[in-house]
Amino acid sequence: MGSAPNPGELTELTQPSFDEFQHQTSLMTGCTLMWKELSDHISSLEANLMRQSEALKRKIEALDSETKTSLDSLKKRELSIDDSVKIAVNRVELLKKDALKTLNDDNPDGEVDNGDGLLQILKSTCLRMEAKEFWNFVSGRKKDIELLREKIPEALSECIDPAKFVMEAISEVFPVDKRGNERGNDLGWACVLVLESLIPAVVDPVIGKSRMLITRSVKEKAKEIAETWKRSLEERGGIDNVKTPDVHTFFQHLITFGIVNEEELDLYRRLVIGSAWRKQMPKLAVLLGLGDKMPDMIEELISKGQQLDAVHFTYEVGLVDRFPPVPLLKAFLKDAKKAASSILEDPNYAGRAAQLAARKEQSALRAVMKCIEEYKLEAELPPENLKKRLEQLEKTKTEKRKPATVPANKRTRASNGGPMPPAKAGRSTNAYVSSFAAPPSIVRSPSHPQYPAA
């Protein structure tokens, strides 16, 4: 048996390896970094979960609030049905009595030139449900459009069924113009006016615009009319060639009868772009549900050189910060000046090139100045320089129109030095013809003022 080592005796110590120590240190460092990384990742997950939880909580609260609002609105609508029906029945009875009274009165009082007289005639046709007479009266008084805009809603409220009455009234020209040879007289303004005036007449008297008093059968008829108009687009030359008043009437028809179709937003978009210069188009586009597509539409207008139209659209939907108006207006003026220069260089315009070019630039200047005034952009784009340029173009135009001064008591010889014509030659249809070759003449358009030759 071996003896136990003596504690007091020195023994040989095992020397640790440096490589082993370095390896252990590396492992400890790796573990520490991994632990910190995992800890940060877990903290990030917890924070992300908290954010999602808060967002979900807010959405649930918003959904609960919307649900409560919707339920309250539905309850209010349900409770208001009886009151609305009662009001409608009483109104029908009253209108029935007024209609019977009007039938016995063939000569309604009031002068047409007077506002009250005009209203009396409109009410008479509405009470009698004489849609054709109503239409002929309205379409023949374009000079009184503002007075009609004021009086027609009140007159339509006298109808037993205003929505049906309006559809019958405009059926001569919408959805298809049936006038034959009289199509040259555009009556789109009258259609839009009557359709706009219908809205106040069909608003629910209890809960307002959120419910229109239009029967289901009338709404279905309105949808059929819209489909007929769309089918007739090919006859009108397609979407790109359809007349703007027709487009405006179509849009107002959809909005008035509440038959906008979300599946046809692309069609609406193309029609709006094609008629973007119409003042009402930005507002109509919003009412048609194209608000989300506005940025793309504005960019398309800019790419087509319709910067002025783009400005109106930006203000309608509040995208002024994204599409600043002043650079757009400057670009519009620059393009107009380029177009005027192109007209001057085009040999096809001959003698009237200067006038057409000046008219092009004048039109652009006036439009931009009106836009500056409308949106209060004087500080960013002072209109003084534009006014000076406009006055300069007007002055040049006036100077070119001045005729050459000729003494009244002398007859001048021809410019080529030929013999002087007889005194009566100017009044004769067969004027004296010189035996010398006549100087070359410049043929100018008779529809524009003549400019003195050089």
Side-chain angles (χ1 to χ4, degrees):
M1 293 181 62
S3 59
N6 186 0
E9 183 180 356
L10 293 175
T11 59
E12 184 178 356
L13 297 175
T14 304
Q15 295 293 332
S17 171
F18 180 77
D19 292 338
E20 182 67 18
F21 173 77
Q22 198 171 24
H23 176 66
Q24 295 295 332
T25 304
S26 177
L27 287 176
M28 289 295 295
T29 303
C31 290
T32 303
L33 293 175
M34 186 177 295
W35 172 259
K36 189 176 186 306
E37 184 178 349
L38 288 173
S39 179
D40 293 342
H41 180 65
I42 292 172
S43 299
S44 176
L45 289 176
E46 289 178 349
N48 191 29
L49 286 173
M50 288 295 294
R51 284 195 299 269
Q52 292 183 2
S53 176
E54 290 294 329
L56 186 60
K57 184 179 179 181
R58 287 193 298 269
K59 287 182 179 180
I60 292 174
E61 291 176 352
L63 184 60
D64 290 341
S65 177
E66 291 177 4
T67 303
K68 186 177 182 302
T69 303
S70 300
L71 290 174
D72 292 342
S73 176
L74 288 173
K75 186 176 180 180
K76 182 179 178 181
R77 289 170 67 90
E78 183 180 0
L79 294 175
S80 67
I81 290 176
D82 293 337
D83 293 336
S84 297
V85 171
K86 185 177 179 180
I87 292 173
V89 170
N90 292 336
R91 179 172 166 273
V92 169
E93 290 296 329
L94 181 61
L95 292 176
K96 180 181 176 181
K97 293 178 181 179
D98 290 342
L100 291 174
K101 181 180 177 181
T102 305
L103 287 174
N104 298 323
D105 184 10
D106 295 330
N107 298 310
D109 297 331
E111 296 294 333
V112 176
D113 292 336
N114 181 281
D116 294 334
L118 183 141
L119 177 60
Q120 187 74 11
I121 293 177
L122 289 172
K123 282 187 174 182
S124 175
T125 56
C126 291
L127 279 169
R128 298 166 184 259
M129 291 294 286
E130 295 173 342
K132 187 173 182 181
E133 287 74 7
F134 171 85
W135 172 253
N136 291 336
F137 180 77
V138 171
S139 61
R141 303 190 68 83
K142 187 174 183 179
K143 62 179 182 179
D144 299 323
I145 186 170
E146 293 304 325
L147 191 59
L148 289 170
R149 194 186 306 277
E150 177 186 349
K151 302 298 183 181
I152 290 178
E154 184 178 350
L156 288 177
S157 64
E158 303 291 327
C159 292
I160 299 295
D161 190 345
K164 183 179 179 181
F165 178 81
V166 165
M167 282 197 299
E168 292 177 358
I170 66 176
S171 61
E172 186 178 3
V173 294
F174 183 81
V176 179
D177 199 332
K178 304 173 185 174
R179 294 175 297 163
N181 296 331
E182 299 180 3
R183 288 190 178 187
N185 184 18
D186 175 40
L187 294 178
W189 67 270
C191 292
V192 172
L193 174 64
V194 174
L195 287 168
E196 287 178 342
S197 301
L198 174 62
I199 295 177
V202 294
V203 167
D204 189 290
V206 178
I207 63 175
K209 290 184 178 181
S210 60
R211 180 166 64 199
M212 295 293 186
L213 299 180
I214 299 177
T215 61
R216 185 175 299 176
S217 60
V218 171
K219 185 167 286 192
E220 290 299 323
K221 180 63 177 177
K223 290 180 181 179
E224 293 177 8
I225 290 174
E227 291 299 323
T228 302
W229 187 89
K230 286 185 290 185
R231 287 195 298 269
S232 69
L233 277 177
E234 292 302 323
E235 299 176 5
R236 302 167 189 264
I239 293 178
D240 297 329
N241 296 315
V242 64
K243 294 181 180 179
T244 297
D246 294 341
V247 174
H248 192 172
T249 303
F250 172 64
F251 285 161
Q252 191 60 55
H253 174 80
L254 298 178
I255 293 167
T256 297
F257 290 99
I259 54 174
V260 175
N261 189 350
E262 293 183 359
E263 297 179 359
E264 297 180 344
L265 290 182
D266 185 59
L267 171 65
Y268 303 159
R269 179 184 185 279
R270 293 172 62 189
L271 289 171
V272 167
I273 291 295
S275 302
W277 58 269
R278 190 83 161 191
K279 183 179 180 181
Q280 299 87 348
M281 277 299 151
K283 188 175 295 294
L284 289 172
V286 174
L287 294 174
L288 291 167
L290 294 173
D292 295 338
K293 299 181 180 293
M294 277 295 190
D296 295 336
M297 294 170 65
I298 292 171
E299 289 179 355
E300 184 174 350
L301 289 173
I302 295 172
S303 67
K304 289 184 174 182
Q306 297 176 246
Q307 297 93 338
L308 189 65
D309 301 328
V311 170
H312 295 305
F313 277 75
T314 57
Y315 274 96
E316 181 63 35
V317 293
L319 293 175
V320 180
D321 294 337
R322 182 171 175 180
F323 300 97
V326 173
L328 292 178
L329 294 177
K330 289 181 178 179
F332 177 74
L333 288 173
K334 186 177 180 181
D335 291 347
K337 201 165 185 177
K338 287 182 180 178
S341 300
S342 300
I343 293 174
L344 289 173
E345 297 171 1
D346 192 338
N348 295 325
Y349 292 108
R352 56 198 183 107
Q355 182 183 3
L356 294 176
R359 187 183 301 174
K360 176 75 175 177
E361 190 172 353
Q362 285 173 337
S363 176
L365 286 168
R366 292 192 183 98
V368 170
M369 288 167 61
K370 185 176 180 181
C371 189
I372 291 172
E373 181 181 359
E374 182 178 356
Y375 299 118
K376 312 298 181 193
L377 299 172
E378 291 85 356
E380 301 176 63
L381 185 59
E384 285 74 18
N385 293 335
L386 304 182
K387 290 179 181 178
K388 289 180 182 178
R389 176 59 180 164
L390 185 61
E391 291 172 358
Q392 181 183 359
L393 290 172
E394 290 286 353
K395 184 178 179 181
T396 303
K397 183 178 178 181
T398 304
E399 289 176 352
K400 287 186 177 181
R401 281 184 174 179
K402 288 181 180 179
T405 304
V406 180
N409 59 345
K410 294 184 180 180
R411 301 199 313 274
T412 57
R413 291 181 177 272
S415 60
N416 60 352
M420 185 166 49
K424 294 184 179 180
R427 290 176 286 174
S428 173
T429 56
N430 185 18
Y432 171 82
V433 180
S434 171
S435 59
F436 293 88
S441 60
I442 300 176
V443 180
R444 298 186 179 92
S445 171
S447 61
H448 298 287
Q450 300 291 331
Y451 299 114

